[in-house]
PDB file of all heavy atoms in Angstrom:
ATOM      1  N   LEU A1035      -6.004  30.463  16.238  1.00 87.00           N
ATOM      2  CA  LEU A1035      -5.819  31.954  16.213  1.00 87.00           C
ATOM      3  C   LEU A1035      -5.466  32.380  14.806  1.00 87.00           C
ATOM      4  O   LEU A1035      -5.963  33.450  14.311  1.00 87.00           O
ATOM      5  CB  LEU A1035      -4.830  32.418  17.210  1.00 87.00           C
ATOM      6  CG  LEU A1035      -5.256  32.391  18.678  1.00 87.00           C
ATOM      7  CD1 LEU A1035      -4.186  33.045  19.496  1.00 87.00           C
ATOM      8  CD2 LEU A1035      -6.522  33.164  18.890  1.00 87.00           C
ATOM      9  N   GLU A1036      -4.533  31.683  14.217  1.00 91.00           N
ATOM     10  CA  GLU A1036      -4.111  32.044  12.882  1.00 91.00           C
ATOM     11  C   GLU A1036      -5.248  31.935  11.821  1.00 91.00           C
ATOM     12  O   GLU A1036      -5.373  32.770  10.961  1.00 91.00           O
ATOM     13  CB  GLU A1036      -2.964  31.107  12.454  1.00 91.00           C
ATOM     14  CG  GLU A1036      -1.602  31.445  13.052  1.00 91.00           C
ATOM     15  CD  GLU A1036      -0.540  30.483  12.870  1.00 91.00           C
ATOM     16  OE1 GLU A1036      -0.783  29.378  12.567  1.00 91.00           O
ATOM     17  OE2 GLU A1036       0.626  30.926  13.245  1.00 91.00           O
ATOM     18  N   ALA A1037      -6.148  30.913  12.030  1.00 91.00           N
ATOM     19  CA  ALA A1037      -7.220  30.881  11.121  1.00 91.00           C
ATOM     20  C   ALA A1037      -8.186  32.066  11.263  1.00 91.00           C
ATOM     21  O   ALA A1037      -8.671  32.523  10.349  1.00 91.00           O
ATOM     22  CB  ALA A1037      -7.941  29.551  11.379  1.00 91.00           C
ATOM     23  N   GLN A1038      -8.368  32.456  12.572  1.00 89.00           N
ATOM     24  CA  GLN A1038      -9.198  33.600  12.840  1.00 89.00           C
ATOM     25  C   GLN A1038      -8.612  34.881  12.206  1.00 89.00           C
ATOM     26  O   GLN A1038      -9.307  35.633  11.657  1.00 89.00           O
ATOM     27  CB  GLN A1038      -9.315  33.885  14.408  1.00 89.00           C
ATOM     28  CG  GLN A1038     -10.366  32.994  14.948  1.00 89.00           C
ATOM     29  CD  GLN A1038     -10.552  33.317  16.414  1.00 89.00           C
ATOM     30  OE1 GLN A1038      -9.988  34.374  16.865  1.00 89.00           O
ATOM     31  NE2 GLN A1038     -11.233  32.539  17.125  1.00 89.00           N
ATOM     32  N   ALA A1039      -7.252  34.921  12.270  1.00 91.00           N
ATOM     33  CA  ALA A1039      -6.642  36.102  11.703  1.00 91.00           C
ATOM     34  C   ALA A1039      -6.771  36.188  10.243  1.00 91.00           C
ATOM     35  O   ALA A1039      -7.029  37.208   9.657  1.00 91.00           O
ATOM     36  CB  ALA A1039      -5.120  36.125  12.118  1.00 91.00           C
ATOM     37  N   SER A1040      -6.622  35.000   9.552  1.00 92.00           N
ATOM     38  CA  SER A1040      -6.740  35.075   8.103  1.00 92.00           C
ATOM     39  C   SER A1040      -8.202  35.322   7.632  1.00 92.00           C
ATOM     40  O   SER A1040      -8.407  35.948   6.640  1.00 92.00           O
ATOM     41  CB  SER A1040      -6.186  33.729   7.457  1.00 92.00           C
ATOM     42  OG  SER A1040      -6.979  32.697   7.763  1.00 92.00           O
ATOM     43  N   LYS A1041      -9.130  34.841   8.481  1.00 90.00           N
ATOM     44  CA  LYS A1041     -10.570  35.229   8.237  1.00 90.00           C
ATOM     45  C   LYS A1041     -10.711  36.689   8.337  1.00 90.00           C
ATOM     46  O   LYS A1041     -11.401  37.304   7.436  1.00 90.00           O
ATOM     47  CB  LYS A1041     -11.447  34.458   9.297  1.00 90.00           C
ATOM     48  CG  LYS A1041     -12.784  34.071   8.754  1.00 90.00           C
ATOM     49  CD  LYS A1041     -13.310  33.037   9.744  1.00 90.00           C
ATOM     50  CE  LYS A1041     -14.652  33.433  10.340  1.00 90.00           C
ATOM     51  NZ  LYS A1041     -15.127  32.504  11.424  1.00 90.00           N
ATOM     52  N   ALA A1042     -10.190  37.257   9.357  1.00 90.00           N
ATOM     53  CA  ALA A1042     -10.342  38.700   9.494  1.00 90.00           C
ATOM     54  C   ALA A1042      -9.628  39.511   8.342  1.00 90.00           C
ATOM     55  O   ALA A1042     -10.170  40.497   7.881  1.00 90.00           O
ATOM     56  CB  ALA A1042      -9.682  39.095  10.891  1.00 90.00           C
ATOM     57  N   GLN A1043      -8.564  38.917   7.932  1.00 91.00           N
ATOM     58  CA  GLN A1043      -7.804  39.519   6.851  1.00 91.00           C
ATOM     59  C   GLN A1043      -8.625  39.528   5.556  1.00 91.00           C
ATOM     60  O   GLN A1043      -8.715  40.526   4.823  1.00 91.00           O
ATOM     61  CB  GLN A1043      -6.438  38.745   6.648  1.00 91.00           C
ATOM     62  CG  GLN A1043      -5.530  39.435   5.741  1.00 91.00           C
ATOM     63  CD  GLN A1043      -4.826  40.617   6.453  1.00 91.00           C
ATOM     64  OE1 GLN A1043      -4.250  40.333   7.504  1.00 91.00           O
ATOM     65  NE2 GLN A1043      -4.770  41.762   5.915  1.00 91.00           N
ATOM     66  N   ALA A1044      -9.270  38.425   5.363  1.00 91.00           N
ATOM     67  CA  ALA A1044     -10.114  38.303   4.167  1.00 91.00           C
ATOM     68  C   ALA A1044     -11.350  39.247   4.267  1.00 91.00           C
ATOM     69  O   ALA A1044     -11.739  39.827   3.265  1.00 91.00           O
ATOM     70  CB  ALA A1044     -10.614  36.842   3.996  1.00 91.00           C
ATOM     71  N   ASN A1045     -11.799  39.385   5.489  1.00 90.00           N
ATOM     72  CA  ASN A1045     -12.945  40.268   5.671  1.00 90.00           C
ATOM     73  C   ASN A1045     -12.647  41.755   5.384  1.00 90.00           C
ATOM     74  O   ASN A1045     -13.391  42.424   4.889  1.00 90.00           O
ATOM     75  CB  ASN A1045     -13.300  40.130   7.200  1.00 90.00           C
ATOM     76  CG  ASN A1045     -14.843  40.480   7.338  1.00 90.00           C
ATOM     77  OD1 ASN A1045     -15.595  40.373   6.404  1.00 90.00           O
ATOM     78  ND2 ASN A1045     -15.156  40.868   8.561  1.00 90.00           N
ATOM     79  N   LEU A1046     -11.336  42.120   5.695  1.00 87.00           N
ATOM     80  CA  LEU A1046     -10.861  43.445   5.420  1.00 87.00           C
ATOM     81  C   LEU A1046     -11.037  43.792   3.943  1.00 87.00           C
ATOM     82  O   LEU A1046     -11.593  44.824   3.576  1.00 87.00           O
ATOM     83  CB  LEU A1046      -9.431  43.552   5.739  1.00 87.00           C
ATOM     84  CG  LEU A1046      -8.946  43.877   7.151  1.00 87.00           C
ATOM     85  CD1 LEU A1046      -7.485  44.144   7.283  1.00 87.00           C
ATOM     86  CD2 LEU A1046      -9.755  45.134   7.652  1.00 87.00           C
ATOM     87  N   ALA A1047     -10.554  42.891   3.081  1.00 88.00           N
ATOM     88  CA  ALA A1047     -10.599  43.042   1.638  1.00 88.00           C
ATOM     89  C   ALA A1047     -12.076  43.204   1.171  1.00 88.00           C
ATOM     90  O   ALA A1047     -12.440  44.104   0.408  1.00 88.00           O
ATOM     91  CB  ALA A1047      -9.966  41.962   0.943  1.00 88.00           C
ATOM     92  N   LYS A1048     -12.880  42.344   1.821  1.00 89.00           N
ATOM     93  CA  LYS A1048     -14.316  42.417   1.430  1.00 89.00           C
ATOM     94  C   LYS A1048     -14.960  43.673   1.791  1.00 89.00           C
ATOM     95  O   LYS A1048     -15.685  44.329   0.991  1.00 89.00           O
ATOM     96  CB  LYS A1048     -15.031  41.246   2.181  1.00 89.00           C
ATOM     97  CG  LYS A1048     -16.476  41.063   1.851  1.00 89.00           C
ATOM     98  CD  LYS A1048     -17.093  39.932   2.695  1.00 89.00           C
ATOM     99  CE  LYS A1048     -18.555  40.178   2.877  1.00 89.00           C
ATOM    100  NZ  LYS A1048     -19.060  39.367   3.959  1.00 89.00           N
ATOM    101  N   LEU A1049     -14.727  44.185   3.040  1.00 85.00           N
ATOM    102  CA  LEU A1049     -15.275  45.424   3.484  1.00 85.00           C
ATOM    103  C   LEU A1049     -14.803  46.568   2.692  1.00 85.00           C
ATOM    104  O   LEU A1049     -15.526  47.523   2.316  1.00 85.00           O
ATOM    105  CB  LEU A1049     -14.961  45.616   5.000  1.00 85.00           C
ATOM    106  CG  LEU A1049     -15.754  44.687   5.932  1.00 85.00           C
ATOM    107  CD1 LEU A1049     -15.103  44.750   7.344  1.00 85.00           C
ATOM    108  CD2 LEU A1049     -17.204  45.122   5.994  1.00 85.00           C
ATOM    109  N   ASP A1050     -13.564  46.539   2.231  1.00 81.00           N
ATOM    110  CA  ASP A1050     -13.072  47.594   1.424  1.00 81.00           C
ATOM    111  C   ASP A1050     -13.745  47.662   0.083  1.00 81.00           C
ATOM    112  O   ASP A1050     -14.138  48.766  -0.319  1.00 81.00           O
ATOM    113  CB  ASP A1050     -11.492  47.243   1.248  1.00 81.00           C
ATOM    114  CG  ASP A1050     -10.743  48.454   1.053  1.00 81.00           C
ATOM    115  OD1 ASP A1050     -10.970  49.482   1.678  1.00 81.00           O
ATOM    116  OD2 ASP A1050      -9.829  48.491   0.087  1.00 81.00           O
ATOM    117  N   SER A1051     -13.920  46.503  -0.486  1.00 83.00           N
ATOM    118  CA  SER A1051     -14.624  46.560  -1.827  1.00 83.00           C
ATOM    119  C   SER A1051     -16.084  46.915  -1.611  1.00 83.00           C
ATOM    120  O   SER A1051     -16.682  47.553  -2.523  1.00 83.00           O
ATOM    121  CB  SER A1051     -14.400  45.224  -2.588  1.00 83.00           C
ATOM    122  OG  SER A1051     -15.350  44.249  -2.110  1.00 83.00           O
ATOM    123  N   GLN A1052     -16.619  46.527  -0.509  1.00 84.00           N
ATOM    124  CA  GLN A1052     -17.977  46.861  -0.280  1.00 84.00           C
ATOM    125  C   GLN A1052     -18.162  48.366  -0.125  1.00 84.00           C
ATOM    126  O   GLN A1052     -19.188  48.952  -0.601  1.00 84.00           O
ATOM    127  CB  GLN A1052     -18.573  46.202   1.028  1.00 84.00           C
ATOM    128  CG  GLN A1052     -18.967  44.747   0.839  1.00 84.00           C
ATOM    129  CD  GLN A1052     -19.473  44.098   2.120  1.00 84.00           C
ATOM    130  OE1 GLN A1052     -19.107  44.533   3.165  1.00 84.00           O
ATOM    131  NE2 GLN A1052     -20.262  43.080   1.949  1.00 84.00           N
ATOM    132  N   ALA A1053     -17.187  49.013   0.522  1.00 79.00           N
ATOM    133  CA  ALA A1053     -17.206  50.486   0.732  1.00 79.00           C
ATOM    134  C   ALA A1053     -17.193  51.159  -0.609  1.00 79.00           C
ATOM    135  O   ALA A1053     -17.914  52.059  -0.951  1.00 79.00           O
ATOM    136  CB  ALA A1053     -16.120  50.869   1.575  1.00 79.00           C
ATOM    137  N   ARG A1054     -16.276  50.653  -1.497  1.00 80.00           N
ATOM    138  CA  ARG A1054     -16.158  51.264  -2.888  1.00 80.00           C
ATOM    139  C   ARG A1054     -17.493  51.078  -3.627  1.00 80.00           C
ATOM    140  O   ARG A1054     -17.925  52.035  -4.309  1.00 80.00           O
ATOM    141  CB  ARG A1054     -15.042  50.555  -3.642  1.00 80.00           C
ATOM    142  CG  ARG A1054     -13.660  51.102  -3.280  1.00 80.00           C
ATOM    143  CD  ARG A1054     -12.636  50.081  -3.893  1.00 80.00           C
ATOM    144  NE  ARG A1054     -11.402  50.137  -3.123  1.00 80.00           N
ATOM    145  CZ  ARG A1054     -10.491  51.138  -3.220  1.00 80.00           C
ATOM    146  NH1 ARG A1054     -10.636  52.107  -4.076  1.00 80.00           N
ATOM    147  NH2 ARG A1054      -9.474  51.092  -2.413  1.00 80.00           N
ATOM    148  N   GLN A1055     -17.952  49.926  -3.550  1.00 83.00           N
ATOM    149  CA  GLN A1055     -19.188  49.547  -4.242  1.00 83.00           C
ATOM    150  C   GLN A1055     -20.333  50.543  -3.795  1.00 83.00           C
ATOM    151  O   GLN A1055     -21.130  50.991  -4.663  1.00 83.00           O
ATOM    152  CB  GLN A1055     -19.510  48.098  -3.850  1.00 83.00           C
ATOM    153  CG  GLN A1055     -20.270  47.397  -4.936  1.00 83.00           C
ATOM    154  CD  GLN A1055     -20.621  45.937  -4.465  1.00 83.00           C
ATOM    155  OE1 GLN A1055     -19.932  45.492  -3.569  1.00 83.00           O
ATOM    156  NE2 GLN A1055     -21.587  45.355  -5.039  1.00 83.00           N
ATOM    157  N   ALA A1056     -20.464  50.632  -2.481  1.00 77.00           N
ATOM    158  CA  ALA A1056     -21.490  51.528  -1.965  1.00 77.00           C
ATOM    159  C   ALA A1056     -21.321  52.932  -2.395  1.00 77.00           C
ATOM    160  O   ALA A1056     -22.295  53.589  -2.798  1.00 77.00           O
ATOM    161  CB  ALA A1056     -21.531  51.369  -0.440  1.00 77.00           C
ATOM    162  N   LEU A1057     -20.082  53.417  -2.343  1.00 79.00           N
ATOM    163  CA  LEU A1057     -19.822  54.770  -2.752  1.00 79.00           C
ATOM    164  C   LEU A1057     -20.163  55.016  -4.251  1.00 79.00           C
ATOM    165  O   LEU A1057     -20.699  55.975  -4.630  1.00 79.00           O
ATOM    166  CB  LEU A1057     -18.386  55.092  -2.461  1.00 79.00           C
ATOM    167  CG  LEU A1057     -18.125  56.559  -2.108  1.00 79.00           C
ATOM    168  CD1 LEU A1057     -18.930  57.012  -0.955  1.00 79.00           C
ATOM    169  CD2 LEU A1057     -16.622  56.833  -1.768  1.00 79.00           C
ATOM    170  N   GLY A1058     -19.723  54.001  -5.016  1.00 77.00           N
ATOM    171  CA  GLY A1058     -19.979  54.066  -6.374  1.00 77.00           C
ATOM    172  C   GLY A1058     -21.502  54.135  -6.711  1.00 77.00           C
ATOM    173  O   GLY A1058     -21.927  54.709  -7.706  1.00 77.00           O
TER     174      GLY A1058
END
Side-chain angles (χ1 to χ4, degrees):
Chain A
L1035 285 187
E1036 279 167 349
Q1038 276 184 13
S1040 66
K1041 211 163 119 187
Q1043 193 76 51
N1045 207 24
L1046 274 188
K1048 182 185 156 199
L1049 286 166
D1050 207 41
S1051 82
Q1052 280 182 335
R1054 280 170 207 279
Q1055 209 181 341
L1057 210 56

